[in-house]
Amino acid sequence: MRTRPLKVALLGCGVVGSEVARIMTTHADDLAARIGAPVELAGVAVRRPSKVREGIDPALVTTDATALVKRGDIDVVVEVIGGIEPARALITTAFEHGASVVSANKALLAQDGAALHAAAEQHGRDLYYEAAVAGAIPLIRPLRESLAGDKVNRVLGIVNGTTNFILDKMDSTGAGYQEALDEATALGYAEADPTADVEGFDAAAKAAILAGIAFHTRVRLDDVYREGMTEVTAADFASAKEMGCTIKLLAICERAEDGASVTARVHPAMIPLTHPLASVRGAYNAVFVESDASGQLMFYGPGAGGSPTASAVLGDLVAVCRNRLSGATGPGESAYAALPVSGMGDVVTRYHISLDVADKPGVLAQVATVFAEHGVSIDTVRQQGKDGEASLVVVTHRASDAALGGTVEALRKLDTVRGVASIMRVEGE
Ligand SMILES: NC(=O)c1ccc[n+]([C@@H]2O[C@H](COP(=O)([O-])OP(=O)(O)OC[C@H]3O[C@@H](n4cnc5c(N)ncnc54)[C@H](OP(=O)(O)O)[C@@H]3O)[C@@H](O)[C@H]2O)c1
């Protein structure tokens, strides 16, 4: 074993960074044996230097992250600050000064992954980011390496623990959205401002990263269609149950049936209770991958939290350190397929539509005609009437989102349709 240690600069020492530092210390001997050289924490950049940080030598702490990554003797920079800047500039500077980078930063990777990969390649360094998607769950490396000989057609994931906790609560207790969110906040599963989670921004960043890797195509955050889950109601769950389904916020990355394009989207969807993702409870994450040769795979585990996320960071650190010692680099960006990324209108799926209609003869026929005129074929219809009003629940066969959109627009114009109570996509069949 080499005795000279590999030097690691830790940028950020919060929820994830503090756990990275702790594991680096407590597992130092095992890490050294696995890497073939000891790893040394050479500096820790933070915002508030006076904060007491257990297990961290105060002499290592600095507020000058730029000077730390410019030192020239740093082998690996671990970026766990988050956000776009200064993380982006620090990572780029790290490459320029000869370091490889491990990051957990989904927002940055989704927005600027291509440029960061290019910078890593230009300087012959590694950029690893297993922790950026689904915390502890090994996913990036299995997609990038283990499935490199296969053809991935679809990735269907629960990649946000907060929203899964809320939806699971609504499902199991009949609670409304606000009540379930309040409980998630009280238990620490939701942040004071839950927007990034409940509006699907966090999941969309992960969808962009997953789609890019799965389809060897650049997919940016802007390419991902996004709908949050704040409009999901207890009534939607009741309808889902009647269909033998539950509701999950899903990140879905798909190759089109003709293989000529891909899509990436995040929205709430009904999935059958028989689908493996339906059994993912609480704040857990899971990603279901469908590929040509392997068939169906599911990756499951804790998608967040200091220690689980640090596990993924440490796995990357070991891999990057090994590459460093052997003078090699791991696989970089693979975007050779360069498939066009289609918009939501081209997505083909099934729909569950709940309409409030007048309870009188001929309404059903009128509604059915609108569906037929737009080429959307109906699978089942259920009607319940009360006091001159009725609710009509229509489940369609597979149709494009554009066709469904046209159908709904036309339905809204019918005198007999009082309102469209909900539209939910049905996935996983
Ligand atoms: N938390 C999770 O469960 C989780 C899961 C997966 C991925 N991630 C990702 O991991 C990254 C870190 O998340 P986190 O939860 O650990 O965040 P966090 O608890 O807020 O920690 C951020 C750290 O960065 C430091 N920092 C902020 N601005 C800085 C600056 N300009 N210069 C130097 N240091 C700065 C902070 O310093 P102070 O300590 O002085 O405030 C803090 O130590 C994010 O990209 C996040 O998306 C987190």
Side-chain angles (χ1 to χ4, degrees), residues 161-181:
T162 305
T163 47
N164 201 55
F165 179 90
I166 294 169
L167 291 170
D168 188 27
K169 262 291 145 211
M170 292 174 74
D171 189 24
S172 57
T173 66
Y177 165 71
Q178 191 58 47
E179 194 187 331
L181 171 63

Side-chain angles (χ1 to χ4, degrees), residues 1-366:
M1 186 181 344
R2 188 177 103 157
T3 50
R4 189 160 52 82
L6 288 155
K7 294 196 176 179
V8 176
L10 184 61
L11 309 184
C13 192
V15 174
V16 179
S18 58
E19 280 298 299
V20 170
R22 183 186 66 75
I23 299 171
M24 277 183 69
T25 308
T26 54
H27 295 187
D29 291 346
D30 284 327
L31 290 172
R34 291 169 197 175
I35 291 167
V39 272
E40 176 190 306
L41 198 54
V44 181
V46 297
R47 209 172 18 189
R48 297 164 297 164
S50 52
K51 188 178 167 201
V52 177
R53 297 172 202 269
E54 206 185 318
I56 305 274
D57 177 356
L60 295 179
V61 175
T62 176
T63 52
D64 195 345
T66 306
L68 179 58
V69 299
K70 278 185 172 174
R71 259 172 52 169
D73 65 336
I74 301 295
D75 294 289
V76 184
V77 166
V78 174
E79 184 276 307
V80 278
I81 292 176
I84 305 301
E85 291 295 358
R88 174 169 48 195
L90 290 168
I91 291 175
T92 310
T93 309
F95 290 136
E96 286 164 1
H97 288 77
S100 284
V101 172
V102 174
S103 173
N105 195 332
K106 62 214 134 198
L108 180 57
L109 264 304
Q111 187 174 309
D112 258 341
L116 294 176
H117 275 294
E121 195 179 338
Q122 186 193 340
H123 296 283
R125 296 293 178 246
D126 277 325
L127 171 62
Y128 276 44
Y129 45 91
E130 184 65 68
V133 182
I137 307 174
L139 191 59
I140 304 289
R141 215 117 33 101
L143 279 173
R144 213 151 75 152
E145 298 181 31
S146 317
L147 290 169
D150 206 336
K151 182 183 177 197
V152 175
N153 295 314
R154 196 142 89 120
V155 179
L156 200 63
I158 296 170
V159 292
N160 182 277
T162 305
T163 47
N164 201 55
F165 179 90
I166 294 169
L167 291 170
D168 188 27
K169 262 291 145 211
M170 292 174 74
D171 189 24
S172 57
T173 66
Y177 165 71
Q178 191 58 47
E179 194 187 331
L181 171 63
D182 290 346
E183 185 172 349
T185 310
L187 292 171
Y189 288 116
E191 299 198 14
D193 177 1
T195 310
D197 294 319
V198 300
E199 294 295 354
F201 290 102
D202 174 84
K206 293 164 180 172
I209 296 170
L210 289 176
I213 297 171
F215 305 134
H216 302 271
T217 287
R218 276 185 194 152
V219 180
R220 286 172 53 92
L221 186 54
D222 294 346
D223 297 322
V224 182
Y225 172 84
R226 179 193 54 77
E227 240 177 64
M229 43 73 74
T230 57
E231 309 282 311
V232 177
T233 63
D236 291 328
F237 271 101
S239 294
K241 276 194 179 132
E242 282 177 30
M243 279 183 64
C245 288
T246 186
I247 298 170
K248 298 288 187 190
L249 184 73
L250 296 179
I252 304 171
C253 313
E254 259 176 338
R255 209 182 272 282
E257 275 166 25
D258 63 3
S261 62
V262 297
T263 51
R265 53 194 163 115
V266 169
H267 54 72
M270 292 187 183
I271 53 166
L273 292 170
T274 49
H275 193 281
L277 286 176
S279 61
V280 177
R281 312 298 301 269
Y284 274 84
N285 283 197
V287 177
F288 192 76
V289 177
E290 297 173 13
S291 43
D292 266 5
S294 66
Q296 300 180 330
L297 304 164
M298 184 148 111
F299 301 84
Y300 171 86
S307 169
T309 308
S311 162
V313 171
L314 264 295
D316 279 353
L317 181 64
V318 168
V320 167
C321 285
R322 283 180 182 151
N323 290 346
R324 215 49 212 194
L325 287 181
S326 64
T329 50
E333 186 191 34
S334 172
Y336 74 92
L339 292 166
V341 186
S342 302
M344 193 61 192
D346 291 340
V347 164
V348 175
T349 188
R350 297 179 66 205
Y351 304 87
H352 176 286
I353 302 125
S354 187
L355 303 170
D356 295 326
V357 297
D359 191 10
K360 58 184 191 191
V363 174
L364 186 55
Q366 243 183 350

